[in-house]
């Protein structure tokens, strides 16, 4: 049998070293980095739109790093709301790594910025494995993905500082059980606030800002 | 700069060789292998339940290979309906590969079986890159994931033989545009039938069977 080399450990070690560098640099500048994770279509970008539309950030306080495989659709959504944003295209890769965040930060004007949000690639598995230098990790799951997501994809829920349950406006039209979701998340993560939102309807967005505590 | 070795090509070549072997073996036995892909919560397992409940398969004609990171929840859902199933746990990995399908097939009794369905890990990126020996690839997207999925995650839609739009019962409660979805998928894939379904309500399941043409 051929000797096996575990490439993944080396990749993660290198990523984590850059993530620590990113975090230290932003901490020194008084900027909070938020990593927003979730399945494709869980509503990450719509949550960001709701945060901006809700007036929780003064002009220029928020900037967004958009992660996507090929397109700049989400960066354009942010620009349409007057939010400075930069698009990272992974060229088909399933997650962001810390070195691309470091480069993206270099492309942004951070004067007067309080919060940088990374709108990660839609993926409930791979994105959770990579630290990006974030101070706060927000994991987004949506009602329409079903009740089994925390137990089936535990890492995002375990590693989140805040868990968002999005699309709660659709609860009446589904078989989703909010209490069971909260209980299952609590079984994986004793501490993280669990915030119920409807990004499209603008519900619960103030609670999310409070839970993230990024404007203190 | 250190010399780079592209590990991915070797991994895919090896995977594709095993996939070809799996496909040839099943073809010789008159068994159709279906690879069911989609985001977490797009409704893959619920579609399988609807196929069984709809009576489209005679007892024993269908078997299911369930892919999940750690749990056997989906295999238990199949067993509860009397369907032979085997669970593959990827131990955190984001997709299935052909060698695990080969092993799973070895663990199944294929006497009298017409169709084997692989219920892949919920992932709109990584799963599409790996051939598993399938005769038919069915890509599932759901209304509540939003209209931008085909353009943002093109590979699944490009590589599918059949595209399912699931959860159409929720269209009235969302801003989803079915015509635009069909147009965007058609821009990526000229040939694949596009079937609209509600797995939970049992709508469109006959159309899906017809599109897959697995019982001919």
């Amino acid at each position: 049998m051929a000797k096996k080399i575990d490439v993944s450990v080396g990749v993660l070690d290198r990523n984590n070293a850059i993530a620590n560098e990113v975090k230290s640099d932003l901490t020194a500048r008084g900027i909070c980095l938020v990593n927003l994770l979730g399945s494709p279509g869980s509503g990450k970008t719509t949550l960001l739109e709701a945060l901006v539309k809700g007036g929780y950030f003064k002009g220029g306080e928020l900037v967004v790093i958009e992660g996507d495989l090929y397109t700049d659709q989400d960066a354009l959504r942010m620009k349409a709301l007057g939010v400075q944003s930069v698009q990272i295209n992974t060229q088909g890769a399933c997650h962001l790594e810390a070195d691309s965040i470091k480069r993206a930060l270099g492309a942004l004007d951070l004067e007067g910025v309080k919060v940088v949000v990374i709108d990660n690639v839609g993926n409930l598995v791979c994105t959770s494995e990579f630290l990006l230098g974030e101070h706060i990790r927000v994991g987004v799951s949506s009602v329409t993905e079903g009740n089994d997501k925390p137990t089936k994809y535990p890492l995002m829920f375990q590693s989140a500082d805040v868990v968002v349950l999005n699309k709660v406006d659709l609860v009446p039209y589904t078989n989703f059980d909010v209490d069971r979701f909260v209980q299952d998340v609590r079984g994986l993560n004793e501490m993280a606030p669990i915030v119920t939102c409807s990004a499209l309807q603008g519900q619960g967005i103030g609670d999310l800002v409070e839970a993230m505590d990024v404007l203190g």
Side-chain angles (χ1 to χ4, degrees), chain A:
Chain A
M1 190 177 167
K3 192 176 169 186
K4 283 190 186 172
I5 302 168
D6 191 344
V7 181
S8 64
V9 175
V11 169
L12 283 177
D13 281 352
R14 182 176 166 275
N15 178 77
N16 291 351
I18 301 173
N20 283 335
E21 197 188 314
V22 166
K23 188 172 181 176
S24 299
D25 179 48
L26 290 178
T27 304
R29 301 170 77 165
I31 297 172
C32 177
L33 185 62
V34 178
N35 187 359
L36 196 57
L37 309 177
S39 295
S42 55
K44 298 178 290 302
T45 313
T46 308
L47 272 173
L48 280 172
E49 289 176 332
L51 280 166
V52 175
K53 288 177 187 166
Y56 294 100
F57 296 93
K58 295 197 195 81
E61 278 183 351
L62 172 72
V63 303
V64 176
I65 298 173
E66 289 288 350
D68 190 31
L69 279 69
Y70 306 106
T71 82
D72 63 352
Q73 296 179 41
D74 292 342
L76 293 176
R77 285 169 67 180
M78 287 299 115
K79 279 181 186 145
L81 294 175
V83 176
Q84 187 189 177
S85 61
V86 61
Q87 180 73 54
I88 301 173
N89 281 144
T90 64
Q91 304 303 331
C94 54
H95 63 274
L96 295 174
E97 297 187 17
D99 60 351
S100 57
I101 300 304
K102 188 179 167 185
R103 280 199 303 276
L105 287 167
L108 287 163
D109 174 9
L110 296 177
E111 185 66 36
V113 168
K114 283 192 171 177
V115 180
V116 177
V117 179
I118 302 162
D119 187 3
N120 217 315
V121 175
N123 190 316
L124 197 45
V125 185
C126 316
T127 52
S128 302
E129 294 169 12
F130 290 82
L131 293 172
L132 303 179
E134 66 263 31
H135 299 89
I136 302 172
R137 179 176 281 207
V138 179
V140 184
S141 192
S142 61
V143 160
T144 48
E145 292 169 56
N147 262 111
D148 56 0
K149 295 303 154 293
T151 51
K152 287 182 69 178
Y153 303 88
L155 185 56
M156 185 188 82
F157 298 92
Q158 283 164 339
S159 67
D161 300 300
V162 177
V163 172
V164 173
L165 175 64
N166 193 23
K167 309 192 190 180
V168 289
D169 56 306
L170 295 178
V171 168
Y173 313 112
T174 66
N175 55 8
F176 193 87
D177 181 337
V178 175
D179 292 340
R180 200 188 121 203
F181 177 85
V182 170
Q183 195 179 324
D184 287 342
V185 172
R186 215 28 102 224
L188 295 165
N189 187 327
E190 287 181 21
M191 299 293 288
I194 302 169
V195 184
T196 55
C197 289
S198 166
L200 210 57
Q201 312 281 343
Q203 289 169 27
I205 306 303
D207 298 337
L208 173 58
V209 173
E210 201 174 309
M212 291 197 295
D213 194 22
V214 289
L215 296 171

